[in-house]
Amino acid sequence: MAGVLSNPLRPAILAAARSSRIERAITRAPVTKSLVERFVAGESRADALAAAGRILGSGRAVSIDYLGEDITDPAQARATVEEYLVLVSDLGGLPGAAGSPDFCPLEVSVKLSALGQGLPAGGEEIALGHARAICAAAQRHGVWVTIDAEDHSRTDSTLSIVRELRSDFPWLGAVLQAYLYRTENDCRALSGPGSRIRLCKGAYREPESVAYQSRADVDASYRRCLDVLAAGDGYPMVATHDPAMISVADEMLTRRDGDAEGFEHQMLYGIRDLEQLRLVEAGRRMRVYVPYGTAWYGYFMRRLAERPSNLKFFLRSTLTRS
Ligand code: FDA
């Protein structure tokens, strides 16, 4: 089975994900768009809301991500906030989206680097202010927010922003990446009562000094992090498509609570749809991460890097059409 770090081309693809020259070439290739559609709901908010409506109709919850990362211009950050403010308002108005006090089927996912975290002058403060505005609007419209995890150089800043925001918005979710050595401790520190933690394996290219490099080590870390979360009082969000991790988590967390209400499974749009529906059928909470927007390049490249067969399919389609 293909795994998170078993693809020998992964480092090269993840390096290409940060190259503007390769981005220009790939985004202009005529074939790319139809492949991107497998992983991205569309370019417009209307596309994302239509996809969300279909997903909610099948008994799954959603987390919508307006694509974009590493912005370098404060105006771009403000435009991203504006988009999220309209998104949470539209999302709150979707039919069939009523939740319960402990479970909201509507969520948005936000990358702090899209809100200005990396800006040279006061980036962290700017991102905190923007994230606060999104959380306040989300709260008014009955929508949850989770802050995505990006590369390790941002982890301290991101978790300190999460902690700050949680004093006003205790429902705010955080993402932790099992491939980082530090994550077991972060799980311990963050799994207080009700704390929503999305545990994923991690999608960026990280050096050996901070992250496990082999699939076996990442999987072992994922299991240890699950142990920590299961022993805590938080609300784990099990973000993986890996059948082994899904069944370990499911078994561990249903045993902990005596039912399946104290956690949820999460997967990405377009990946293992039948498994998503099987989990719903089995009475599990299942949330789908739905990205949209024109800035899909980095996200798309990370999906190609995760699975050699996605890359092969992409290359074969590109070569046969050119
Ligand atoms: P693994 O890569 O081992 O895959 C297990 C199986 O899942 C594969 O054999 C295949 O069947 C299927 N699969 C996995 N990826 C696939 C793909 N691209 N195409 C087709 N099939 C695929 N990362 C991060 O660094 N920061 C973040 O904030 C997030 N957020 C996030 C939210 C949610 C809801 C999910 C599900 C994932 C993330 N991730 C993330 C991504 C995550 O870190 C990881 O890169 C991917 O989920 C792939 O790892 P798996 O756990 O699925 O296992």
Side-chain angles (χ1 to χ4, degrees), residues 1-5 10 38-39 63 109 111 147-150 175 177 179 198 200-204 215 219 222 238-243 245 266-268 270-272 287-289 302-307 309-310:
M1 185 196 301
V4 64
L5 301 174
R10 184 174 184 270
R38 184 180 160 198
F39 299 110
S63 190
S109 285
K111 283 187 176 51
I147 303 291
D148 280 346
E150 302 180 67
V175 181
Q177 298 151 312
Y179 63 15
R198 175 185 293 161
C200 65
K201 290 190 185 178
Y204 294 79
R215 180 192 173 125
D219 287 359
Y222 198 97
V238 181
T240 178
H241 314 92
D242 183 336
M245 299 303 130
Q266 299 192 337
M267 293 190 207
L268 301 177
I271 302 183
R272 301 203 70 203
R287 192 180 302 271
V288 185
Y289 184 101
R302 289 194 289 277
R303 303 296 77 82
L304 287 187
E306 271 152 15
R307 217 169 174 223
S309 60
N310 288 344

Side-chain angles (χ1 to χ4, degrees), residues 85-109:
L85 296 183
V86 182
L87 173 65
V88 294
S89 158
D90 288 356
L91 198 51
L94 278 184
S100 60
D102 69 335
F103 180 67
C104 182
L106 305 175
E107 187 191 68
V108 293
S109 285

Side-chain angles (χ1 to χ4, degrees), residues 198-262:
R198 175 185 293 161
L199 181 65
C200 65
K201 290 190 185 178
Y204 294 79
R205 186 163 72 123
E206 297 291 12
E208 208 172 344
S209 53
V210 299
Y212 298 108
Q213 303 291 312
S214 76
R215 180 192 173 125
D217 285 344
V218 175
D219 287 359
S221 170
Y222 198 97
R223 285 165 200 259
R224 287 196 302 277
C225 291
L226 280 174
D227 276 335
V228 173
L229 295 181
D233 299 320
Y235 179 82
M237 303 186 282
V238 181
T240 178
H241 314 92
D242 183 336
M245 299 303 130
I246 291 170
S247 80
V248 169
D250 202 74
E251 210 269 316
M252 193 186 280
L253 294 166
T254 46
R255 187 158 24 88
R256 173 186 81 162
D257 300 326
D259 60 29
E261 306 281 281

